[in-house]
Amino acid sequence: MHQNANAKKIILSTNLKGFFFEGLTELNKKSLCPVPESVIFYSSDVLDKFALSQNFFETNEGKVREKILGMKLLEATQVGREEQKRIYKEVGDMSLLVCGYFSESVNKKLVDTQYYAQIGKMAYSHLNNVTPSFLDIPSFYGMVATCFESLTTLMTILATKDRHGTDSNLIFQKLLRSEKLSEKEMMVSGVLPPLTQKVS
């Protein structure tokens, strides 16, 4: 009995974190500037953690609303070291998620992904100052800050792959529409940026 070539594939994964890790690792292998595997592992953990929507919102006076990341980053300067660690991690992780997996959701907001990227990088840099290691890797959060754009590009590609897993993702759609992409986005996507000639 031969199987229909257009039949949908069933993806088996022991857990959501494993699914994200596998998907990001596969994309990272195609990148012209891959990020360290430890950073992929960390981001898979972030994606798994925020899979539950209640982790993405806060309740204030009985009303559910999005967390205001810029304000949270400012709050961290007024609290003790342990609370700073928690706030910086939360702001960095949520910025990573907004710029990466949910980058299209920012289209309806007053601020763009560049704003969230700056906040995320600042949060991870501050976190690196108060708790630099993760999994015994020194300056780990500084590395996450440095890899932020590459990592969010990988997450965007993963989030916008079509149901058949083909590369009709957001980055390639932008390329096809001749929209502006950063050199980093192109390299992470496995596309060589065009050579620019200098005029003397």
Side-chain angles (χ1 to χ4, degrees), residues 44-154:
S44 303
D45 193 45
V46 170
L47 285 165
D48 181 45
K49 173 185 164 190
F50 285 105
L52 298 173
S53 62
Q54 66 257 34
N55 293 332
F56 202 74
F57 299 97
E58 64 186 2
T59 306
N60 191 355
E61 296 177 5
K63 294 181 181 179
V64 177
R65 64 184 181 121
E66 269 186 66
K67 296 174 182 177
I68 302 169
L69 302 184
M71 292 298 290
K72 285 196 137 326
L73 196 58
L74 286 173
E75 283 173 22
T77 60
Q78 308 297 318
V79 296
R81 189 179 176 89
E82 286 306 309
E83 185 64 5
Q84 279 182 343
K85 288 181 192 177
R86 189 194 65 72
I87 292 172
Y88 290 144
K89 186 172 185 332
E90 180 182 40
V91 170
D93 291 353
M94 289 187 70
S95 299
L96 193 66
L97 200 68
V98 168
C99 291
Y101 212 75
F102 295 115
S103 61
E104 290 180 285
S105 69
V106 178
N107 294 340
K108 298 174 184 173
K109 296 188 178 186
L110 294 173
V111 292
D112 61 7
T113 53
Q114 292 301 317
Y115 167 80
Y116 287 104
Q118 288 304 318
I119 284 184
K121 286 190 260 189
M122 277 196 307
Y124 283 129
S125 293
H126 290 317
L127 181 58
N128 196 67
N129 292 334
V130 291
T131 180
S133 66
F134 174 76
L135 298 175
D136 295 328
I137 301 168
S139 297
F140 177 78
Y141 294 107
M143 186 168 45
V144 175
T146 302
C147 296
F148 196 92
E149 188 180 1
S150 296
L151 193 51
T152 55
T153 301
L154 288 172

Side-chain angles (χ1 to χ4, degrees), residues 13 15 59 88 108 115 132 160 163 180:
S13 183
N15 59 34
T59 306
Y88 290 144
K108 298 174 184 173
Y115 167 80
T160 57
R163 286 180 311 217
K180 188 176 183 212

